[in-house]
Amino acid sequence: MSGGMIKVLLAEDQSMVREALAALLGLEDDIEVVAQVARGDEVLAAARAHDVDVALLDIEMPGATGIEAAAQLHRELPKLKLVVLTTFGRPGYLRSAMEAGADAFLVKDAPAAQLAEAVRKVLAGERVIDPTLAAAALAGGANPLTDREREVLRAAADGSTNAELAAALHLSQGTVRNYLSTAIQKLAVRNRAEAVRTAREKGWL
């Protein structure tokens, strides 16, 4: 921190939401939003360029998700504090965010004062988690899907055939079929479309 000011990077693809968050945080005496980006793949460069203390990351962004950006920041700039924001209170997102190195996980419609307080707390070494999401994550259990099953399900979301998936993922059609079948069984659904929908609803994709 320079001069006691907490320097914040704000990553959010919806400009109206991003500007509103920046304006609200700018009202705080000790917080300054020094960088704003709209894409997940622009986060690391901006964090480095502006030497920020805390990064606020939306989950749903083009280029890379906030969770992917958090993992990259945690790896490349381990001292940087990470706050993940989400519109969707999906318990799987919380688990993924924590595994990626996030220090806080909050819903975007939380009061501005709560967000500002979270920024201060993570800088003081605390972890901040929305209590409702924490309870839901504990009740929802762990993600049963392996990384490869999630990869295949994500690729299948656009309706690609097994042959198209095999070509895109450099796998055999039989292997693709096995991954999809296992995912469908684990999620206790009838087909791949339901598997994709269920996994998304739980924040497991």
Side-chain angles (χ1 to χ4, degrees), residues 7-203:
K7 294 192 289 185
V8 170
L9 161 67
L10 189 51
E12 158 67 60
D13 65 323
Q14 296 180 43
S15 58
M16 193 177 295
V17 174
R18 187 175 67 249
E19 288 164 13
L21 285 171
L24 289 168
L25 287 170
L27 297 174
E28 303 292 326
D29 293 337
D30 57 343
I31 296 175
E32 181 183 6
V33 177
V34 296
Q36 298 182 41
V37 297
R39 295 177 57 88
D41 53 5
E42 295 174 352
V43 169
L44 179 60
R48 279 189 168 137
H50 296 275
D51 191 26
V52 297
D53 303 303
V54 180
L56 300 182
L57 309 167
D58 180 36
I59 286 186
E60 303 283 342
M61 289 187 289
T65 68
I67 291 172
E68 290 167 341
Q72 186 181 37
L73 289 172
H74 185 62
R75 192 168 56 248
E76 301 287 335
L77 301 170
K79 291 182 180 178
L80 179 61
K81 298 300 182 180
L82 308 172
V83 178
V84 173
L85 302 173
T86 180
T87 307
F88 312 104
R90 296 172 181 167
Y93 280 163
L94 169 56
R95 194 177 294 269
S96 298
M98 294 298 115
E99 288 173 354
D103 300 285
F105 190 89
L106 300 169
V107 289
K108 265 194 269 189
D109 56 6
Q114 187 177 328
L115 179 56
E117 194 56 31
V119 167
R120 297 185 188 103
K121 283 182 175 179
V122 296
L123 211 53
E126 296 182 45
R127 178 164 277 189
V128 183
I129 300 172
D130 182 281
T132 308
L133 289 176
L138 289 172
N143 183 351
L145 302 172
T146 65
D147 288 345
R148 188 43 76 90
E149 287 161 2
R150 293 201 333 252
E151 181 186 19
V152 173
L153 267 187
R154 274 197 296 265
D158 64 359
S160 296
T161 65
N162 284 356
E164 289 167 338
L165 291 173
L169 299 173
H170 307 292
L171 299 169
S172 71
Q173 289 189 51
T175 301
V176 166
R177 194 160 47 244
N178 288 342
Y179 281 130
L180 288 172
S181 176
T182 305
I184 288 167
Q185 286 177 344
K186 285 181 177 179
L187 298 173
V189 293
R190 292 172 298 181
N191 54 51
R192 70 168 72 182
E194 287 185 10
V196 169
R197 185 169 67 249
T198 298
R200 278 183 171 164
E201 285 172 355
K202 291 184 178 290

